[in-house]
Amino acid sequence: MATVLVVYATNHGNTQKMAAAIASGVTSVSGSQANLKCAEDVTANEVLASDAVIVGTPVIMGSLDWRIKKFIDETCRPLSMQDSLVSKVGAVFASGSGYGAGGNGCELTMLAVLNSFALAGMVIVPLPKRTPGYYLGGLQWGPFGRTSGEKMEPLGITEEQLEVAVHHGANVARITDALAGKNLFA
Amino acid sequence: MATVLVVYATNHGNTQKMAAAIASGVTSVSGSQANLKCAEDVTANEVLASDAVIVGTPVIMGSLDWRIKKFIDETCRPLSMQDSLVSKVGAVFASGSGYGAGGNGCELTMLAVLNSFALAGMVIVPLPKRTPGYYLGGLQWGPFGRTSGEKMEPLGITEEQLEVAVHHGANVARITDALAGKNLFA
Amino acid sequence: MATVLVVYATNHGNTQKMAAAIASGVTSVSGSQANLKCAEDVTANEVLASDAVIVGTPVIMGSLDWRIKKFIDETCRPLSMQDSLVSKVGAVFASGSGYGAGGNGCELTMLAVLNSFALAGMVIVPLPKRTPGYYLGGLQWGPFGRTSGEKMEPLGITEEQLEVAVHHGANVARITDALAGKNLFA
Amino acid sequence: MATVLVVYATNHGNTQKMAAAIASGVTSVSGSQANLKCAEDVTANEVLASDAVIVGTPVIMGSLDWRIKKFIDETCRPLSMQDSLVSKVGAVFASGSGYGAGGNGCELTMLAVLNSFALAGMVIVPLPKRTPGYYLGGLQWGPFGRTSGEKMEPLGITEEQLEVAVHHGANVARITDALAGKNLFA
């Protein structure tokens, strides 16, 4: 039984909606269970008990939300110092208004989370461009929910955008299942 | 007289169009001149003789075009080793099909160029979001010309997208003019 | 009179020591003054009243300290939304134990800060490799104080490492002075 | 039988030495074979026939070597456009003089390779800090061989530095073996 922890912070509910879609993707894979949590509420034991961690963050000023960073600094870092996260699976998703032609900093935002996961020794799952819904809600490192239109009119997260998030959750669950319990790293 | 070198590589002419728009922005600033060059044709002396360098690259597999990297490795690197580029001004722009919700790797592409400029000791000019046309063709680090629609139908670079490029060229020219000839770095 | 705001977070006093060195570099430039502040204590008015902002962060799990991100999210973001930071000067520095052969995530940590500055439309000042002390305490984007030895034995920040920080402060002050009060961006 | 393709470019033989160490790590895992190739010599069929690709690049001006980028642009990109690399495993390593306190751009160099791998839909294997030899030759995203001393005196790659590369090859082989032949992605 693979356990996937889905952690998020949210301001307007958009990242939360994506988190719920990802969790539903996880549970759609036989033998996988999802633990969906707001960043403030996750305990170190919940991280330890998980085979994979998927973190979702609003894109704020071109980087991860400070509440997500606080979770990484205070909850994940002591575990990483003891090498307790090595060989777990890590993945990421994000939402943001997306002003401009390129996502308003979404790429470095996702890489900030993944840089922490790499330091912890976690295997990283990206998002293939062939994934259904990618053209509306995908980025190479994970789902990106763009919540505003070209002129910053708020549109929220649409059903079509959530499709790619569901698949991301299922992808992570399958890869976690294939890796769990094996002796992968020196 | 500030001289701004605009260097590009192009496959379908899109980055070239943006480069021409940027050069026209440079020359719109009184006392500034632009030198517009394909990456293959730039000499080390042209780089040395410039007060600023603006590099434009297609986004290819989420990073800069190999021809741009060859220009950096073979033409710029020997100058950088001798600290000959310190205090020049650097800026970047890019074009690409932009598949997905976030620019298909445009952010790391631009940062690859800027990481080289930082190593060379060059002052970096970003692109403020208030720039006219930003919502159609802007990214925080420079203009990004998205050339395809949501389903990858080719649209090319539109007049509206070029507007932000013209302003980027003018911004760089003004900043170069303010910094040129001064003793800025230890 | 150019005013440079130096903002830091610190755990063991290392980033604070670097911040003080940077502030002393700022004030070594005639006509420049430094405002040295812990991240928790900076007000929006202090940011607005500054011509340049230099942010220093511990490297925590390969990204910026959550307290620095909170300062960016809560104090800088509202100003950036109103385009009030456009054409100010931005720079960065960091400290960390630096385990491994390459700085333990220092590069993405600095770029997280600079991505926020770019979104705000701020001109970025890097650190030329010719800067005295660079080989002991320099990175392309700013001073990096490596506080541990190869086997993680704590060494703290040495006098030699602070030298490069002093120069960074002076570099930023000179560039700020050259740009302040000019109409640089469209 | 998992096949791991190890691709490198080299100027002074350092990246080549690391590549050979990584290949020996791959073959140390029962049932895995390594295909060690210079970037110029790899064919698309060799990439297609591999279950994992590990790319090694000199750090040149803070980004990947242009010959590695040419391999990605011309050999990997057509395969990626057809989604033919999805679910393969990807990893990276680098070497460089490493001037300064933080690796001279090694982090963005590795991420340039990995951004391409993510776009191709490949699972990414990092390097846990507990890996033997990490403190001399490790970075979170893969082995980094620092070839010069603090004052840029050339030291080359030492036996101790190669240790971590051997383990990286073995890690990738084990993870590839666990994932190969499974239906992982939507």
Side-chain angles (χ1 to χ4, degrees):
Chain A
M1 175 68 90
T3 301
V4 179
L5 177 63
V6 182
V7 180
Y8 66 93
T10 200
N11 288 312
H12 308 294
N14 294 313
T15 316
Q16 188 175 23
K17 260 187 214 168
M18 293 177 74
I22 282 176
S24 78
V26 169
T27 53
S28 75
V29 173
S30 164
S32 295
Q33 64 181 24
N35 184 12
L36 179 61
K37 281 286 177 111
C38 184
E40 286 93 328
D41 300 334
V42 187
T43 66
N45 279 340
E46 284 176 304
V47 177
L48 263 183
S50 304
D51 302 296
V53 183
I54 312 180
V55 164
T57 179
V59 176
I60 308 285
M61 289 293 285
S63 188
L64 76 187
D65 190 290
W66 71 265
R67 296 165 296 179
I68 291 295
K69 192 67 214 306
K70 195 178 182 199
F71 159 70
I72 292 172
D73 291 5
E74 302 196 338
T75 305
C76 300
R77 189 171 177 248
L79 302 173
S80 174
M81 297 288 273
Q82 299 173 324
D83 299 318
S84 303
L85 306 179
V86 173
S87 93
K88 291 187 190 295
V89 170
V92 69
F93 62 103
S95 79
S97 59
Y99 194 57
N104 207 18
C106 56
E107 212 171 322
L108 275 197
T109 297
M110 288 187 172
L111 285 171
V113 173
L114 296 180
N115 216 32
S116 296
F117 283 172
L119 279 162
M122 296 165 72
V123 176
I124 307 296
V125 179
L127 182 68
K129 71 173 168 33
R130 76 175 187 202
T131 313
Y134 187 98
Y135 75 104
L136 286 172
L139 196 74
Q140 68 269 28
W141 293 106
F144 171 58
R146 193 166 176 145
T147 62
S148 299
E150 273 184 356
K151 299 189 178 176
M152 290 299 274
E153 67 280 15
L155 301 175
I157 301 283
T158 61
E159 284 306 308
E160 289 86 353
Q161 284 178 301
L162 293 175
E163 185 184 17
V164 72
V166 173
H167 285 297
H168 194 50
N171 292 344
V172 171
R174 280 186 291 260
I175 288 166
T176 302
D177 187 59
L179 297 177
K182 292 190 175 151
N183 194 11
L184 303 169
F185 286 98
Chain B
M1 175 68 90
T3 300
V4 179
L5 177 62
V6 182
V7 180
Y8 66 93
T10 200
N11 288 313
H12 308 293
N14 294 313
T15 317
Q16 188 175 23
K17 260 187 216 169
M18 293 177 73
I22 281 175
S24 78
V26 169
T27 54
S28 75
V29 174
S30 166
S32 295
Q33 64 180 24
N35 184 12
L36 179 61
K37 281 285 176 109
C38 184
E40 285 92 328
D41 300 333
V42 187
T43 66
N45 279 340
E46 285 176 303
V47 177
L48 262 182
S50 305
D51 302 296
V53 183
I54 313 181
V55 164
T57 180
V59 176
I60 308 286
M61 288 294 284
S63 189
L64 76 186
D65 190 289
W66 72 264
R67 297 166 296 180
I68 291 294
K69 191 68 214 307
K70 194 178 182 199
F71 158 70
I72 292 173
D73 291 5
E74 301 196 338
T75 306
C76 300
R77 189 170 177 249
L79 302 172
S80 174
M81 296 288 273
Q82 300 173 324
D83 298 317
S84 303
L85 306 178
V86 173
S87 92
K88 291 185 191 295
V89 169
V92 70
F93 62 103
S95 80
S97 59
Y99 194 57
N104 207 19
C106 57
E107 211 171 323
L108 273 197
T109 297
M110 288 187 173
L111 285 171
V113 173
L114 296 179
N115 216 33
S116 296
F117 283 173
L119 278 162
M122 297 166 71
V123 176
I124 308 296
V125 179
L127 183 69
K129 73 173 167 29
R130 76 176 187 202
T131 312
Y134 188 97
Y135 75 103
L136 286 172
L139 195 75
Q140 68 269 28
W141 292 106
F144 171 59
R146 192 165 176 145
T147 62
S148 299
E150 274 184 356
K151 299 190 178 176
M152 290 298 275
E153 65 280 16
L155 301 175
I157 300 283
T158 61
E159 284 307 308
E160 290 85 353
Q161 282 177 303
L162 293 175
E163 185 184 17
V164 72
V166 173
H167 285 297
H168 194 50
N171 292 345
V172 171
R174 280 186 292 261
I175 287 165
T176 303
D177 188 58
L179 296 177
K182 292 189 175 151
N183 194 10
L184 302 169
F185 286 98
Chain C
M1 176 67 92
T3 301
V4 179
L5 177 63
V6 182
V7 181
Y8 66 93
T10 201
N11 288 313
H12 309 293
N14 293 313
T15 317
Q16 188 175 24
K17 260 188 214 167
M18 294 177 72
I22 281 176
S24 79
V26 169
T27 54
S28 75
V29 173
S30 164
S32 295
Q33 66 181 22
N35 184 12
L36 179 60
K37 282 286 177 109
C38 184
E40 285 92 328
D41 300 333
V42 188
T43 66
N45 279 340
E46 285 176 304
V47 177
L48 262 183
S50 305
D51 301 298
V53 182
I54 313 180
V55 164
T57 179
V59 176
I60 308 286
M61 289 293 285
S63 189
L64 76 186
D65 190 289
W66 72 265
R67 296 165 297 179
I68 291 295
K69 192 66 215 305
K70 195 178 182 199
F71 158 71
I72 291 173
D73 291 6
E74 301 196 339
T75 305
C76 300
R77 188 170 177 250
L79 301 172
S80 174
M81 296 289 273
Q82 299 174 324
D83 298 317
S84 302
L85 306 179
V86 173
S87 93
K88 291 186 191 296
V89 169
V92 70
F93 62 103
S95 79
S97 59
Y99 193 58
N104 207 19
C106 57
E107 212 171 321
L108 274 197
T109 297
M110 288 188 173
L111 285 172
V113 173
L114 296 179
N115 216 33
S116 296
F117 284 173
L119 278 162
M122 296 166 72
V123 176
I124 308 296
V125 179
L127 182 69
K129 72 173 167 32
R130 76 176 187 202
T131 312
Y134 187 98
Y135 75 104
L136 287 172
L139 195 75
Q140 67 269 28
W141 294 105
F144 172 59
R146 192 165 175 145
T147 62
S148 300
E150 273 184 356
K151 299 189 177 176
M152 290 298 275
E153 65 280 16
L155 301 175
I157 301 283
T158 61
E159 284 306 308
E160 290 85 353
Q161 283 178 302
L162 293 175
E163 185 184 18
V164 73
V166 173
H167 285 297
H168 194 50
N171 291 346
V172 171
R174 280 187 292 262
I175 288 166
T176 303
D177 188 57
L179 296 178
K182 291 189 176 153
N183 194 10
L184 302 169
F185 286 98
Chain D
M1 174 68 90
T3 301
V4 179
L5 177 62
V6 182
V7 180
Y8 66 93
T10 200
N11 288 313
H12 308 293
N14 293 313
T15 317
Q16 189 175 23
K17 260 187 215 167
M18 293 177 73
I22 282 176
S24 78
V26 168
T27 54
S28 76
V29 173
S30 165
S32 294
Q33 65 181 24
N35 183 12
L36 178 61
K37 281 286 176 111
C38 184
E40 286 93 328
D41 301 333
V42 187
T43 65
N45 279 340
E46 285 176 304
V47 177
L48 262 183
S50 304
D51 302 297
V53 183
I54 312 181
V55 164
T57 179
V59 176
I60 309 285
M61 290 291 286
S63 189
L64 76 186
D65 189 290
W66 72 264
R67 296 165 296 179
I68 291 294
K69 192 67 215 305
K70 194 178 183 200
F71 158 70
I72 291 172
D73 292 5
E74 301 196 338
T75 305
C76 300
R77 188 170 177 248
L79 301 172
S80 174
M81 296 288 273
Q82 299 174 321
D83 299 317
S84 303
L85 307 178
V86 173
S87 93
K88 290 185 191 295
V89 169
V92 70
F93 62 103
S95 80
S97 59
Y99 193 57
N104 206 20
C106 57
E107 211 170 323
L108 274 197
T109 297
M110 288 186 173
L111 285 172
V113 174
L114 296 180
N115 216 32
S116 296
F117 284 173
L119 278 162
M122 296 165 73
V123 176
I124 308 295
V125 179
L127 183 68
K129 72 172 166 35
R130 75 176 187 202
T131 312
Y134 187 98
Y135 76 104
L136 286 172
L139 194 74
Q140 68 269 27
W141 293 107
F144 171 59
R146 193 166 175 145
T147 62
S148 300
E150 275 184 355
K151 300 190 177 175
M152 290 298 275
E153 67 280 14
L155 301 175
I157 301 282
T158 61
E159 284 307 308
E160 290 85 353
Q161 283 177 302
L162 293 176
E163 185 184 17
V164 72
V166 173
H167 285 297
H168 193 50
N171 292 345
V172 171
R174 280 186 292 261
I175 289 165
T176 302
D177 188 58
L179 297 178
K182 291 189 176 152
N183 194 11
L184 302 169
F185 286 98

